[in-house]
Amino acid sequence: MTFQPIKFYQTGTFTVGNRLLDPSQRSVQSHRDRSNAINSGHRACQGCGEALGARYAVDAAMDATNSQLIAANATGCLEVFTTPYPESSWQLPWMHSLFGNAAAIGTGIAAALKAKGRSDVRVIAQGGDGGTTDIGFACLSGMFERNDDVLYICYDNEAYMNTGVQRSSATPPAARTATTMPVGPEPGNAFGQGKYVPAIAMAHNIPYVATASVAYLRDLEAKVKRAMEFRGARYIHIYVPCPLGWGTASHDTIRIARLAHETGLFPLFEAEYGELVSSLPIRKQQPVEEYLKPQRRFAHLFGAKPRADLIAKIQARADANILKYRQLQREEV
Ligand SMILES: Cc1ncc(C[n+]2csc(CCOP(=O)(O)OP(=O)(O)O)c2C)c(N)n1
Ligand code: SF4
């Protein structure tokens, strides 16, 4: 009988359980005593990337802080599916904020803890891409600029999902949303608009910035733990597919997230004090069509008259990301 050799990624940095690894190297989720920061019974859609990303991120932050953690949460899907009054899925002190002021609430909690001399208790603030890149942006930039001792986590599903899939400034070009219709010469969301908050966070020279993805949960956990080693303002931007808003199969969440990285459309990296310090390399670069085709929000690019011109523009964006964020080589300097 022949046996298949164990491939490196079954025990390497890309996997979650890692029961083949030494216990000291295993992931947070492989521990029996993990915190389960977001309990089962919440109301997220099947296959929700945001629920998965938040659970891993907050569990990792709990692990890193010996469960001495307080969270502020912007309104959005994550809040609504976890806290329908009078219920809550959260297993940590958790504070509701407005749509736009989660960063300011985090700052306030950190200031109160400082006044009380409680340096052992740490703070995270979190929100969707709308709450982060649009309405919450001023509070977030202020938090960065003052270097407040808060880790801000953005769960990026590339639109305002909670209110019915409206465009945000993180919605990618050509994507159909309820407010960017798939009609006209340039259907879907416009090219050349929007903003990339990880780069803007780096421009504030804060101690730590990272991008992460639910396709690489072990990498995500490691980045949250690394973030908690710093004091001051930190930012993690997590890619979280939304089956409802993107028109993808609920079982495809991880595949889509992996393709976002492997095409170069969502680069994965870390930066410290404004400088890139590591990148997660793409194993085999995929053409952007592989990523776009399974998503109904891009279906108009593949209709009776396929839009090769727009697909080429998206490919150019992916190629530029790969170069800029050094996605074809492992980089640790
Ligand atoms: C000032 C204000 N405007 C609008 C709303 C309604 N609202 C609540 S959540 C939300 C969208 C949230 O989108 P996002 O931050 O991207 O999070 P997601 O639901 O996609 O996770 C909106 C528009 C609000 N609560 N407050
Ligand atoms: S709409 Fe999207 S982000 Fe919201 S719960 Fe459903 S899958 Fe998750």
Side-chain angles (χ1 to χ4, degrees):
M1 191 177 183
T2 55
F3 291 94
Q4 197 184 8
I6 295 170
K7 293 187 179 135
F8 86 96
Y9 53 79
Q10 284 180 301
T11 55
T13 56
F14 293 111
T15 53
V16 180
N18 286 280
R19 288 187 172 83
L20 297 174
L21 287 179
D22 183 81
S24 64
Q25 294 178 292
R26 288 182 193 168
S27 66
V28 174
Q29 291 294 327
S30 69
H31 292 163
R32 196 184 45 191
D33 55 355
R34 65 187 183 274
S35 63
N36 287 320
I38 306 176
N39 247 337
S40 56
H42 61 68
R43 301 172 184 193
C45 308
Q46 199 174 26
C48 174
E50 190 164 85
L52 181 65
R55 169 160 175 169
Y56 274 72
V58 182
D59 271 356
M62 295 274 274
D63 194 59
T65 58
N66 201 21
S67 298
Q68 297 299 297
L69 188 70
I70 300 176
N73 207 133
T75 187
C77 268
L78 180 61
E79 179 181 84
V80 170
F81 70 66
T82 55
T83 54
Y85 181 81
E87 298 159 7
S88 174
S89 292
W90 296 97
Q91 302 298 307
L92 76 165
W94 180 96
M95 193 179 287
H96 160 74
S97 79
L98 298 177
F99 187 23
N101 71 350
I105 298 274
T107 291
I109 299 169
L113 289 167
K114 189 175 177 193
K116 288 170 79 73
R118 292 296 305 271
S119 61
D120 56 322
V121 183
R122 309 296 302 277
V123 185
I124 60 168
Q126 50 187 0
D129 51 287
T132 304
T133 71
D134 292 336
I135 191 170
F137 190 67
C139 293
L140 183 65
S141 176
M143 187 202 108
F144 290 162
E145 189 269 324
R146 293 184 303 268
N147 201 24
D148 294 325
D149 190 19
V150 178
L151 167 62
Y152 190 100
I153 303 175
C154 172
Y155 300 101
D156 184 6
N157 54 24
E158 303 188 328
Y160 293 23
M161 297 312 180
N162 177 53
T163 41
V165 196
Q166 296 86 16
R167 173 198 184 274
S168 81
S169 53
T171 300
R176 178 211 66 194
T177 67
T179 48
T180 54
M181 291 292 145
V183 293
E186 287 222 341
N189 193 35
F191 278 81
Q193 295 182 351
K195 60 185 100 147
Y196 188 52
V197 172
I200 300 173
M202 283 170 68
H204 289 73
N205 286 328
I206 57 176
Y208 185 78
V209 174
T211 58
S213 167
V214 291
Y216 306 101
L217 289 163
R218 190 165 165 76
D219 178 73
L220 188 163
E221 281 184 348
K223 285 171 174 169
V224 172
K225 287 184 149 194
R226 176 74 180 137
M228 298 314 289
E229 290 173 10
F230 292 89
R231 292 277 170 175
R234 291 142 287 143
Y235 180 74
I236 299 186
H237 192 103
I238 305 180
Y239 184 83
V240 291
C242 166
L244 181 141
W246 297 8
T248 50
S250 54
H251 60 256
D252 257 352
T253 294
I254 301 301
R255 185 169 77 96
I256 299 289
R258 190 177 299 121
L259 282 166
H261 175 240
E262 289 180 344
T263 52
L265 287 170
F266 193 87
L268 291 169
F269 60 88
E270 293 173 289
E272 293 177 10
Y273 300 100
E275 298 294 330
L276 200 66
V277 294
S278 82
S279 52
L280 190 73
I282 295 172
R283 277 188 241 155
K284 184 171 184 294
Q285 189 184 349
Q286 302 291 338
V288 294
E289 286 94 331
E290 295 297 311
Y291 169 77
L292 300 170
K293 268 186 189 159
Q295 305 185 47
R296 283 203 299 280
R297 65 178 174 155
F298 295 112
H300 49 280
L301 301 179
F302 302 94
K305 290 185 190 157
R307 294 299 305 265
D309 54 335
L310 299 184
I311 294 169
K313 282 171 87 169
I314 296 170
Q315 184 65 57
R317 284 171 63 94
D319 294 344
N321 279 342
I322 287 171
L323 280 182
K324 184 168 182 182
Y325 295 101
R326 303 173 199 162
Q327 295 291 288
L328 287 180
Q329 67 209 45
R330 176 173 288 282
E331 187 132 331
E332 279 168 29
V333 289

